[in-house]
Amino acid sequence: MVLTDLFLRRGGEPPPVLFDRRHTNWAGPIAMIVGVVVSVWLFSNQQQYVGLIPQRVPAVGDIAFEVGFLISAALYLALRRRSS
C-alpha cells in the first residue's frame, strides 16, 4: 500500500488529509484483505492447504506472497483512483 500510494503521489507533498484523525481510508484494508484471501486461495502450496493453481500446475510452487502483493497493489490503485 505504501509503495502504491507513493506512486500515486509521485513524490509530491503529502495531502493535508494525512494529518486529519477523522479521515478513514478504507482502500488500504480492503485491498490487503482481498489480496491475501485471493492469493492464498489460488496460489498457496503448503502441507495443510494447496491452492487451485498449484494443484493443477505443481511446478508453480508457493507464490502466494508475490501474487498477493500484486493483487493488493492493483486493487489499492483502483480504489484510490476511484475515490479521488
Side-chain angles (χ1 to χ4, degrees):
M1 303 311 105
V2 173
L3 294 176
T4 308
D5 201 50
L6 286 173
F7 171 74
L8 287 172
R9 287 190 286 123
R10 289 180 184 78
E13 290 296 318
V17 75
L18 182 68
F19 304 105
D20 183 7
R21 291 182 182 258
R22 293 171 291 155
H23 175 72
T24 55
N25 177 10
W26 287 104
I30 290 170
M32 193 69 173
I33 291 168
V34 170
V36 167
V37 169
V38 169
S39 67
V40 168
W41 175 57
L42 291 176
F43 292 97
S44 182
N45 190 4
Q46 301 293 317
Q47 254 184 329
Q48 304 244 342
Y49 177 76
V50 177
L52 298 177
I53 305 299
Q55 280 179 355
R56 288 160 181 78
V57 186
V60 169
D62 187 356
I63 59 171
F65 176 78
E66 292 84 357
V67 173
F69 182 85
L70 295 175
I71 290 172
S72 296
L75 185 57
Y76 182 75
L77 182 66
L79 291 173
R80 289 295 296 159
R81 286 203 174 169
R82 186 171 183 186
S83 68
S84 298

